[in-house]
């Protein structure tokens, strides 16, 4: 079985099935069933005289004659036919997708809807069947040069390859193929905007350089909305007053209760509080960004104090019974809850 598992890990389900047929017939018929390859399963059971064994193993699910009737039925009538109600819904879904691929009638909309369902209900399907149907749809649309499928399915393809099967060799193989397809056919007319929002702190230039490198690579534009200063040291910060957890996590278990939040620290050690709570910053000018105008297209920098004052003036009537401590230490949390 080791060789079979290796083939599955490489997303080569057809080769795994071929090897199973030679060495592991029971596993072979089970894989055919879970992948919705019902035509192949019926033919195999008929020619190998394994019908009774299959029915014995699946007596609570389905028998050979039901499968035989299903593959002879019109594809449009299968899902609403009570005769096939014992067959798991997931198996019928895979059978229909296989049928439409073989007859070259699977639409992009149907494929996207199917991938959405797999993403939401991933645990309802076997991993082998997901790998199989993913590869079948991938190669189907690739063979038809339907590049729009890869553009529209990008999120689902990324999720399957980089989240669900990230440790599989086959995932790496198909992610490389997907990247080549996407870069060659899907991204030519796409313009990407990268929005950088929030306060610049510490070694922000390294992060900005990384964003600019990304923008150059994907031919994107950068837009910035921030304050007109770099926060070199943010004071004791917000965190609902829990400054110890936020700034001094390594000593939080040893911190005395009477100074374990901002209000208590200010009450008992007002001078120390004043020093620790003082923000230190350096001014920031938008020209520092716009000198890279080939990449950074615009930068809006506002004064944070003016911005906060303006917000308070606009919503002052909604802020009632607020204490000085709430204003100084919990303003952001209180304001969000009152004025949202």
């Amino acid at each position: 079985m080791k060789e079979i598992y290796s083939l599955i890990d490489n997303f080569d389900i057809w080769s795994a099935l071929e090897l199973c047929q030679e060495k592991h017939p029971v596993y072979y018929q089970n894989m055919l069933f879970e992948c919705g390859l019902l035509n192949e399963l019926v033919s195999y059971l008929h020619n190998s005289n394994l019908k009774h064994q299959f029915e014995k193993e699946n007596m609570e699910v389905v028998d050979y004659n039901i499968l035989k009737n299903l593959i002879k039925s019109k594809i449009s009538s299968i899902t609403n036919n009570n005769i096939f109600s014992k067959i798991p819904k997931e198996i019928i879904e895979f059978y229909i997708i296989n049928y439409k691929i073989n007859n070259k009638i699977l639409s992009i909309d149907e494929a996207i809807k199917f991938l959405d369902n797999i993403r939401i209900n991933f645990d309802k399907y076997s991993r082998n069947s997901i790998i199989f149907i993913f590869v079948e749809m991938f190669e189907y649309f690739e063979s038809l040069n339907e590049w729009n499928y890869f553009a529209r399915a990008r999120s689902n393809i990324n999720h399957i390859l980089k989240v669900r099967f990230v440790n599989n060799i086959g995932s790496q193989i198909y992610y490389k193929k997907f990247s080549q397809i996407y870069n060659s056919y899907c991204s030519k007319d796409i313009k990407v905007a990268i929005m950088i929002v929030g306060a610049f702190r510490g070694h922000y230039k390294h992060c900005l350089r990384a964003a600019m490198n990304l923008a150059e690579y994907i031919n994107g534009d950068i837009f910035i909305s921030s304050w007109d200063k770099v926060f070199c040291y943010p004071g004791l910060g917000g965190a609902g007053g829990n400054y110890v957890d936020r700034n001094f996590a390594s000593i939080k278990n040893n911190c005395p209760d009477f100074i374990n939040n901002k209000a208590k620290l200010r009450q008992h050690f007002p001078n120390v509080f004043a020093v620790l709570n003082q923000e230190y910053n350096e001014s920031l000018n938008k020209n520092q960004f716009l000198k890279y105008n080939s990449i950074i297209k615009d930068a809006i920098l506002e004064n944070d104090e003016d911005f906060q004052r303006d917000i308070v003036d606009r919503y002052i009537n909604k802020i009632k019974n607020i204490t000085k401590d709430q204003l100084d230490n919990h303003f952001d949390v209180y304001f969000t809850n009152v004025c949202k």
Side-chain angles (χ1 to χ4, degrees):
M1 293 293 291
K2 185 176 180 180
E3 188 175 356
I4 292 171
Y5 292 145
S6 178
L7 290 169
I8 294 172
D9 184 57
N10 281 289
F11 281 24
D12 190 356
I13 299 294
W14 282 113
S15 296
L17 283 167
E18 185 177 344
L19 192 58
C20 279
Q21 185 176 7
E22 297 175 7
K23 299 182 177 181
H24 305 281
V26 174
Y27 192 61
Y28 173 67
Q29 64 190 32
N30 288 338
M31 281 188 67
L32 289 176
F33 184 64
E34 69 182 4
C35 291
L37 295 169
L38 303 186
N39 289 294
E40 291 83 350
L41 177 58
V42 169
S43 176
Y44 176 71
L45 293 176
H46 175 77
N47 295 325
S48 62
N49 293 316
L50 292 174
K51 289 181 287 185
H52 296 298
Q53 182 179 349
F54 176 79
E55 291 176 346
K56 184 178 179 180
E57 292 180 358
N58 296 275
M59 63 174 63
E60 299 296 329
V61 182
V62 63
D63 61 35
Y64 170 80
N65 288 324
I66 291 179
L67 292 178
K68 192 174 180 180
N69 289 333
L70 185 145
I71 64 175
K72 291 181 178 179
S73 301
K74 289 184 178 180
I75 200 71
S76 59
S77 67
I78 291 175
T79 53
N80 297 320
N81 195 327
N82 290 331
I83 296 175
F84 310 125
S85 60
K86 285 189 175 182
I87 302 176
K89 178 184 175 182
E90 294 76 23
I91 304 301
I92 293 179
E93 289 175 352
F94 283 124
Y95 171 74
I96 292 174
I97 293 293
N98 286 326
Y99 175 90
K100 291 188 174 183
I101 287 176
N102 291 333
N103 288 276
K104 290 184 169 53
I105 58 173
L106 179 65
S107 70
I108 294 177
D109 286 339
E110 289 173 313
I112 298 294
K113 184 178 179 180
F114 187 71
L115 285 180
D116 286 340
N117 185 49
I118 286 180
R119 183 171 181 170
I120 296 170
N121 302 295
F122 184 86
D123 294 332
K124 290 185 178 180
Y125 303 92
S126 73
R127 293 177 69 85
N128 290 348
S129 64
I130 293 175
I131 291 172
F132 173 78
I133 211 69
F134 171 83
V135 170
E136 289 295 289
M137 291 197 298
F138 191 106
E139 296 186 347
Y140 167 74
F141 287 111
E142 183 182 18
S143 68
L144 296 177
N145 295 336
E146 287 281 9
W147 311 124
N148 192 38
Y149 166 76
F150 298 95
R152 292 179 56 191
R154 178 178 62 171
S155 176
N156 285 326
I157 292 174
N158 275 319
H159 181 77
I160 289 173
L161 297 180
K162 305 303 287 184
V163 177
R164 294 298 187 174
F165 295 98
V166 65
N167 295 319
N168 293 69
I169 295 175
S171 173
Q172 300 171 26
I173 295 171
Y174 275 87
Y175 189 77
K176 184 176 181 180
K177 291 180 66 175
F178 168 67
S179 298
Q180 291 172 341
I181 290 172
Y182 193 86
N183 291 332
S184 298
Y185 302 105
C186 306
S187 62
K188 290 182 177 179
D189 299 324
I190 295 176
K191 189 67 175 177
V192 178
I194 300 173
M195 187 69 187
I196 299 177
V197 181
F200 286 108
R201 304 181 186 277
H203 303 291
Y204 75 94
K205 292 181 180 179
H206 298 291
C207 299
L208 182 63
R209 171 48 61 186
M212 291 172 61
N213 289 341
L214 173 63
E216 285 182 320
Y217 180 74
I218 63 175
N219 189 29
D221 295 329
I222 293 178
F223 298 87
I224 295 172
S225 176
S226 184
W227 307 122
D228 59 357
K229 61 190 70 171
V230 179
F231 292 88
C232 305
Y233 171 70
L236 295 179
N242 192 6
Y243 76 95
V244 179
D245 227 13
R246 180 169 184 171
N247 299 288
F248 311 107
S250 62
I251 62 168
K252 67 178 181 179
N253 293 330
N254 299 318
C255 181
D257 289 342
F258 72 94
I259 58 168
N260 66 358
N261 65 44
K262 290 172 67 175
K264 293 177 182 178
L265 179 65
R266 184 175 60 183
Q267 177 185 350
H268 294 285
F269 298 99
N271 295 329
V272 173
F273 176 85
V275 172
L276 292 178
N277 200 44
Q278 178 64 48
E279 292 183 348
Y280 292 93
N281 52 68
E282 296 177 355
S283 62
L284 196 60
N285 188 292
K286 67 183 299 180
N287 291 328
Q288 293 176 243
F289 302 111
L290 297 183
K291 63 184 179 181
Y292 306 105
N293 59 6
S294 62
I295 300 174
I296 301 177
K297 298 303 180 182
D298 198 6
I300 298 175
L301 304 180
E302 296 194 56
N303 181 276
D304 60 315
E305 294 176 358
D306 291 344
F307 181 85
Q308 179 170 299
R309 192 178 303 110
D310 179 59
I311 292 295
V312 172
D313 289 342
R314 286 163 55 190
Y315 292 97
I316 192 66
N317 292 329
K318 293 185 178 181
I319 303 176
K320 299 177 180 179
N321 302 319
I322 184 169
T323 66
K324 188 175 187 305
D325 177 67
Q326 287 172 323
L327 180 64
D328 291 341
N329 299 309
H330 309 288
F331 178 78
D332 50 348
V333 176
Y334 185 86
F335 180 80
T336 300
N337 291 329
V338 172
C339 301
K340 62 184 177 182

